[in-house]
Amino acid sequence: MNTHLHITAWVLALILLIVVLILHKQGKGKGAKIVQMILRLDYLLILYSGGDLLANYIKGGNMLGEAIAKGVAGLWVIVALEMISVKTAKGKPAKSWWIQLVIAFLITLILGFGRLPGGFM
Ligand code: HEM
């Protein structure tokens, strides 16, 4: 049940990042700031739902190592999202964080969908 919340939360984060970038590009700095704050609240939802999923593995034993690796990669995604939105809002280059976002996102997808058994419950 919590996988739905988890997936919804990180899909929302991607959408909110795109909205921040578009607003910034349109010169709507104030709007971008507000959406950045919403994005930060959404991180809490990702952390809560991911932490809850991780708790199942801590209780259950099997594949705990990969679940922890998944969580670390997920944290890396959040850091990259935040750095991209902050750098862009300040008009600074964010290229290295885009690269990290792609790498971290691929790792979370591979571990989350491919390796760990949760699936679309
Ligand atoms: C933006 C960041 C994140 C992304 C893109 C992401 C992505 C995913 C995906 C694709 C899944 C598979 C869903 C499924 O099995 O149906 C998943 C599951 C999971 N995530 Fe995340 N996640 C993120 C953040 C986190 C964080 C911060 C944690 C830990 C604190 C975490 C822990 C987990 C755990 C334990 C699972 C369960 C895997 C399973 O049972 O299949 N995730 N996540």
Side-chain angles (χ1 to χ4, degrees), residues 3-15:
T3 43
H4 276 152
L5 178 61
H6 192 58
I7 294 172
T8 307
W10 63 255
V11 170
L12 181 63
L14 295 179
I15 295 169

Side-chain angles (χ1 to χ4, degrees), residues 92-119:
K92 290 186 178 162
K95 191 173 169 205
S96 71
W97 289 105
W98 277 109
I99 295 167
Q100 290 185 59
L101 178 65
V102 171
I103 296 170
F105 192 61
L106 284 176
I107 296 171
T108 53
L109 288 186
I110 291 165
L111 287 176
F113 283 137
R115 295 281 309 167
L116 290 164

Side-chain angles (χ1 to χ4, degrees), residues 3 6-7 10 13 46-47 50-51 53-54 57 67 70-75 77-78 81 105 108-109 111-113 116-121:
T3 43
H6 192 58
I7 294 172
W10 63 255
I46 299 172
L47 288 170
L53 288 168
L54 190 56
Y57 284 89
K70 162 69 193 58
V72 172
L75 289 175
V77 173
I78 293 174
L81 292 170
F105 192 61
T108 53
L109 288 186
L111 287 176
F113 283 137
L116 290 164
F120 275 108
M121 285 172 294

Side-chain angles (χ1 to χ4, degrees), residues 20-113:
V20 170
L21 300 180
I22 291 173
L23 287 172
H24 176 72
K25 201 158 212 167
Q26 293 175 340
K28 294 177 180 148
K30 204 168 183 182
K33 270 240 158 68
I34 292 166
V35 180
Q36 259 182 303
M37 295 309 293
I38 301 169
L39 176 58
R40 286 180 186 136
L41 290 178
D42 186 46
Y43 298 152
L44 297 179
L45 217 55
I46 299 172
L47 288 170
Y48 165 74
S49 56
D52 193 60
L53 288 168
L54 190 56
N56 293 330
Y57 284 89
I58 292 168
K59 277 182 258 162
N62 209 6
M63 295 187 88
L64 176 60
E66 285 188 74
I68 291 172
K70 162 69 193 58
V72 172
L75 289 175
W76 190 14
V77 173
I78 293 174
V79 172
L81 292 170
E82 174 64 12
M83 291 307 291
I84 290 169
S85 79
V86 167
K87 293 265 177 192
T88 306
K90 286 183 178 166
K92 290 186 178 162
K95 191 173 169 205
S96 71
W97 289 105
W98 277 109
I99 295 167
Q100 290 185 59
L101 178 65
V102 171
I103 296 170
F105 192 61
L106 284 176
I107 296 171
T108 53
L109 288 186
I110 291 165
L111 287 176
F113 283 137

